[in-house]
Amino acid sequence: MVAAPTDDMVHVTRWHWGSKEWSPFSAAEMDRRQDALRAHMAAENIDACLLTSFHNICYYSGWLYCYFGRNYGMVIDADHATTISAGIDGGQPWRRTHGDNIVYSDWRRDNYYQAVRGLTKGTSRLGVEFDHLSVDQFRALEAALPGVELLDVGTATMWMRTVKSAEEHDLIRHGTRICDLGATTCVEAVSAGIPEHEVAMATTQTMIRSIAESFEFAELMDTWTWFQSGDNTDGAHNPVTNKRVESGDILSLNTFPMIFGYYTALERTLFCDHVTSDEHLRLWGINVEVHERGLELIRPGARCCDIAAELNDIYRSHDLLQYRSFGYGHSFGVLSHYYGREAGVELREDVQTSLEPGMVVSMEPMIAIPSGQPGSGGYREHDILIITEDGAENITGFPYGPEHNILSN
């Protein structure tokens, strides 16, 4: 039997504990983001928005929530911006939010929706993220807000995030610098006999320490490394294992610092001690050729699908196109392996978006040759570029290719 809540239990409140934390983004930058959403709301006759995703709440408030099975939100109307957090988070959400915050308790199942109702009084048209709400969440929201029309703002907010500000570019530059530092630690750690996870842990530790040293204040969360060897290189997102590196192994490095919700990446093909065969060296060289041509193609006005088509032709000329498994690159910003993606800016055949100044994209061609075939393994290089008015700036510094990444320690 479940005990009924008593009158002295707090259901929705405010915990303004401590003081606002330092942010890499100015108040003017955060106001710019919120005001851009308000302009969209005004144009579409939307009274308020309820954002629910990791990426949008982080982008518009500066706070990245910890999900753990609870509901979170951010309500933006013409005058206010307020995040909604669970009591388990204490005052941290308010300290990180550019705006206000309200807290709901677990004492009653519908307290989250009580908080939403309190922040959306008088709303008849509410913007929500169709691509984030589950069917159950959508139905619960409809039940909690009878008579309120729910409209999608998920696509519109995605496009707002694709063109980065100067302050965002600065943070992303820090991220790529830290990627390079992590990669340096990786190549120093690699030797025959060392397990993948030991290399990954050393690399991640370097990046976390660098993030801590680089900012006045930072929440140190979610930075990670994928380091794969041998057959484990055939997938770009394969987990680290306890497999020991062998001399002659093909290796794949992926460094991923996470800074204030912003993801950056560096990925490189490497070999331990020596390249196993001439075929491995040939395939590596072809992938570098595709990578370098891709870097040349990234410029303002270039369409994502056209970049993919030209790079496909290079693989096709070597009879390797069937070994390519995903797109050639994607947008960077507030995203992660467990949340967020700016799907409108992906270097794929089915994306017709033209690149614009301010966008940040990767070039990351990969082919994977099946185990047992000559040259087996995964080959992947990855740089990050900022689109400029007349070209693109490659902000990744760590070298790639056989001249640099045959490791002998």
Side-chain angles (χ1 to χ4, degrees), residues 82-369:
T82 308
T83 53
I84 305 171
S85 60
I88 196 170
D89 302 301
Q92 183 260 1
W94 177 78
R95 293 193 295 271
R96 297 296 307 139
T97 294
H98 181 72
D100 200 1
N101 166 261
I102 61 173
V103 177
Y104 72 93
S105 76
D106 290 340
W107 300 123
R108 191 172 56 199
R109 187 168 297 277
D110 68 346
N111 283 343
Y112 171 78
Y113 294 101
Q114 178 180 331
V116 172
R117 285 192 296 269
L119 292 172
T120 57
K121 290 178 181 177
T123 295
S124 60
R125 288 167 58 86
L126 180 69
V128 297
E129 299 175 70
F130 282 6
D131 61 347
H132 183 260
L133 293 173
S134 68
V135 172
D136 285 346
Q137 289 170 329
F138 191 88
R139 289 173 177 167
L141 197 56
E142 285 185 315
L145 302 173
V148 175
E149 183 180 2
L150 303 181
L151 304 104
D152 180 47
V153 294
T155 299
T157 54
M158 181 271 292
W159 287 115
M160 291 177 207
R161 299 193 314 270
T162 58
V163 177
K164 275 61 180 176
S165 68
E167 291 187 20
E168 290 179 281
H169 290 164
D170 183 62
L171 185 64
I172 292 169
R173 289 177 194 276
H174 276 293
T176 55
R177 174 182 60 81
I178 291 168
C179 284
D180 292 346
L181 292 174
T184 298
T185 294
C186 170
V187 301
E188 292 171 351
V190 170
S191 63
I194 191 168
E196 290 178 5
H197 71 276
E198 292 292 345
V199 176
M201 287 193 300
T203 302
T204 300
Q205 186 178 65
T206 290
M207 293 191 291
I208 291 173
R209 284 175 171 162
S210 182
I211 295 169
E213 293 167 356
S214 299
F215 299 95
E216 180 178 330
F217 172 85
E219 294 173 338
L220 302 171
M221 55 188 291
D222 299 332
T223 291
W224 85 106
T225 301
W226 282 325
F227 175 76
Q228 304 119 344
S229 62
D231 288 346
N232 199 31
T233 62
D234 63 355
H237 297 169
N238 291 356
V240 171
T241 75
N242 59 352
K243 174 189 176 298
R244 293 184 180 273
V245 174
E246 299 178 28
S247 183
D249 263 352
I250 186 172
L251 311 172
S252 184
L253 168 66
N254 309 255
T255 61
F256 303 118
M258 291 291 295
I259 311 173
F260 296 95
Y262 279 70
Y263 161 97
T264 47
L266 166 73
E267 297 159 16
R268 291 291 183 256
T269 301
L270 315 99
F271 278 79
C272 179
D273 292 335
H274 61 276
V275 178
T276 314
S277 68
D278 289 343
E279 182 63 3
H280 282 91
L281 192 61
R282 184 183 79 88
L283 292 166
W284 193 3
I286 292 169
N287 207 58
V288 166
E289 176 188 354
V290 174
H291 181 62
E292 291 180 338
R293 180 55 183 153
L295 295 175
E296 294 171 348
L297 292 173
I298 293 176
R299 62 187 186 276
R303 293 197 308 167
C304 296
C305 56
D306 295 336
I307 294 173
E310 180 165 339
L311 299 183
N312 280 346
D313 286 342
I314 301 176
Y315 280 137
R316 188 179 290 110
S317 71
H318 295 284
D319 193 26
L320 292 172
L321 186 57
Q322 65 271 31
Y323 299 119
R324 189 193 135 220
S325 56
F326 58 90
Y328 288 102
H330 57 81
S331 181
F332 274 74
V334 182
L335 57 97
S336 172
H337 59 304
Y338 65 88
Y339 66 84
R341 195 166 182 87
E342 294 166 7
V345 185
E346 301 217 11
L347 306 184
R348 302 189 333 187
E349 295 84 348
D350 59 347
V351 177
Q352 298 184 7
T353 304
S354 294
L355 299 179
E356 300 177 29
M359 289 180 172
V360 181
V361 298
S362 60
M363 172 49 56
E364 48 180 300
M366 179 177 176
I367 50 173
I369 310 303

Side-chain angles (χ1 to χ4, degrees), residues 2-6 9 107:
V2 178
T6 62
M9 288 180 172
W107 300 123

Side-chain angles (χ1 to χ4, degrees), residues 387-407:
I387 311 301
T388 63
E389 293 295 330
D390 56 2
E393 178 189 0
N394 188 338
I395 59 174
T396 295
F398 196 83
Y400 58 82
E403 298 82 3
H404 304 285
N405 289 328
I406 301 172
L407 311 180

